[in-house]
């Protein structure tokens, strides 16, 4: 039997801090908290709560044009990052289809904005999972439902506070950091068959002890028609950042061509 929106609000509101409960109960669609909580999003959250994946949802810790990220906990008290993709934005249709169309893993995606957002959420989960499997340091993917993605919370040391990007908190040892990210780019391409396609100092987090790459929705399979173009762009962008930190980086074009040669050798083996 379908649940009324008020019933779902009751269930989810009980999972939120008591200080937010009254405010949420006063709003039919959680509009007082965030506009992301429309009916399908509520249903997705309810499903994740009902499955025991999410126990408590706290406030927003990061916000962008396309998504909001919430600090949450699982039933064991482990920190989670809950990324909710906005379904009211036109950004996905305008700027994100190029990362979906041509990817052999996503051949049938509807043109409605909710279909595109759902595909994007699924795509980010699968990309995270693949990168994690081949040893690239990313937030560990946990689950997804429609436009809601659940993953490991990457903290800088204080609970509920995300680690800063290297743009704002450069690594103490830039040369070692450069070698690490260069290795991740190579591993991802040669072993994971993926290209991040949006890699920069804005989406590499620095926890103080390790670097973690985030924002994987744009990552494409190596068979995507623009994969090589995206790979070259990632390499040039990252190398340029470390150049500014005084690191003597490799020639980006030569590194790019080396990866292409290695990939070709692997495919012929």
């Amino acid at each position: 039997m379908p649940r009324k929106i008020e019933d779902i609000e009751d269930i989810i509101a009980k999972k939120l801090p008591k200080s937010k409960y009254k405010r949420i109960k006063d709003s039919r669609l959680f509009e007082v908290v965030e506009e992301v909580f429309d009916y399908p999003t509520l249903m997705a959250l309810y499903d994740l709560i009902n499955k025991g994946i999410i126990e408590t949802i706290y406030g927003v810790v990061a916000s962008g044009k396309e998504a909001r990220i919430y600090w949450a906990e699982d039933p064991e008290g482990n920190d989670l990052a809950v990324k909710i993709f906005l379904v009211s934005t036109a950004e996905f249709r305008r700027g994100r289809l190029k990362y979906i169309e041509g990817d052999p893993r996503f051949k049938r995606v509807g043109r409605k904005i909710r279909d595109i957002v759902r595909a994007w959420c699924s795509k980010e989960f699968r990309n995270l999972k693949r990168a994690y499997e081949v040893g690239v340091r990313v937030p560990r993917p946990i689950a997804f439902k429609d436009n809601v993605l659940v993953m490991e919370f990457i903290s800088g040391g204080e609970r509920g506070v995300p680690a800063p990007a290297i743009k704002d908190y450069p690594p103490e040892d830039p040369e070692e950091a450069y070698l690490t990210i260069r290795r991740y780019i190579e591993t991802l391409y040669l072993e994971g068959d993926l290209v991040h396609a949006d890699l920069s100092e804005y989406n590499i987090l620095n926890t103080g002890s390790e670097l973690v790459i985030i924002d994987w929705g744009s990552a494409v399979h190596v068979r995507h028609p623009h994969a090589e173009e995206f790979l070259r762009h990632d390499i040039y962008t990252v190398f340029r950042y470390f150049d500014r930190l005084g690191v003597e980086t490799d020639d980006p074009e030569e590194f790019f061509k080396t990866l292409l040669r290695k990939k070709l050798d692997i495919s012929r083996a």
Side-chain angles (χ1 to χ4, degrees):
M1 178 179 179
R3 292 178 178 270
K4 295 180 180 179
I5 185 86
E6 292 82 2
D7 296 334
I8 299 169
E9 284 185 338
D10 283 341
I11 294 167
I12 296 178
K14 291 175 183 177
K15 300 295 183 180
L16 289 147
K18 291 182 179 179
S19 61
K20 292 184 180 287
Y21 181 80
K22 184 178 185 301
R23 293 176 63 208
I24 290 172
K25 283 300 296 173
D26 290 342
S27 170
R28 184 171 180 272
L29 292 176
F30 283 162
E31 289 173 353
V32 176
V33 179
E34 290 295 337
E35 72 271 20
V36 298
F37 290 101
D38 60 0
Y39 182 84
T41 303
L42 283 171
M43 292 298 295
L45 285 169
Y46 170 71
D47 183 72
L48 292 166
I49 288 170
N50 197 44
K51 289 179 178 177
I53 295 169
I54 299 172
E55 175 65 22
T56 304
I57 304 172
Y58 296 104
V60 175
V61 295
S63 180
K65 292 181 180 180
E66 299 172 354
R68 305 284 164 80
I69 299 180
Y70 291 77
W71 170 35
E73 289 181 352
D74 67 13
E76 286 72 45
N78 300 307
D79 288 341
L80 303 173
V82 177
K83 188 172 187 177
I84 301 180
F85 293 91
L86 304 177
V87 295
S88 59
T89 178
E91 285 294 317
F92 280 91
R93 185 176 286 114
R94 286 200 299 264
R96 295 310 186 189
L97 274 176
K98 66 179 180 180
Y99 297 103
I100 297 175
E101 293 178 333
D103 193 315
R105 300 170 301 169
F106 298 90
K107 295 182 178 180
R108 294 182 179 86
V109 177
R111 290 290 170 165
K112 294 181 179 178
I113 187 63
R114 184 167 291 280
D115 293 332
I116 297 171
V117 172
R118 186 182 294 112
W120 191 264
C121 183
S122 168
K123 186 169 181 280
E124 178 149 6
F125 179 84
R126 291 178 65 173
N127 290 336
L128 281 167
K129 187 172 183 293
R130 183 58 180 159
Y132 188 82
E133 288 171 346
V134 297
V136 176
R137 184 62 177 102
V138 303
R140 181 175 63 87
I142 296 171
F144 76 95
K145 177 70 176 182
D146 293 336
N147 63 316
V148 181
L149 172 64
V150 184
M151 54 191 163
E152 173 190 4
F153 190 98
I154 305 300
S155 170
E158 181 181 351
R159 290 196 67 202
V161 179
I166 58 174
K167 174 186 74 71
D168 301 314
Y169 184 33
E172 288 188 9
D173 188 338
E175 185 171 354
E176 181 182 357
Y178 161 70
L179 294 174
T180 296
I181 298 303
R182 188 186 67 174
R183 184 177 74 252
Y184 286 161
I185 293 172
E186 182 170 7
T187 300
L188 185 69
Y189 185 66
L190 299 182
E191 300 179 28
D193 291 328
L194 289 179
V195 176
H196 185 282
D198 192 30
L199 192 59
S200 74
E201 62 270 27
Y202 290 84
N203 47 35
I204 301 173
L205 304 186
N206 183 2
T207 70
S209 59
E210 62 179 350
L211 302 180
V212 184
I213 301 176
I214 61 170
D215 293 340
W216 286 83
S218 59
V220 299
H221 193 274
V222 294
R223 294 203 304 272
H224 187 283
H226 300 297
E228 291 184 8
E229 171 191 339
F230 293 148
L231 175 63
R232 176 186 273 119
H233 184 268
D234 281 355
I235 292 170
Y236 272 81
T237 301
V238 169
F239 283 28
R240 186 164 53 244
Y241 167 76
F242 284 105
D243 278 338
R244 294 198 298 269
L245 295 185
V247 177
E248 188 174 340
T249 62
D250 300 273
D251 178 83
E253 188 66 21
E254 184 56 38
F255 181 66
F256 167 70
K257 292 178 179 178
T258 298
L259 291 188
L260 296 188
R261 288 195 297 269
K262 287 183 177 180
K263 193 63 176 176
L264 184 59
D265 290 343
I266 291 172
S267 66
R268 288 173 173 172

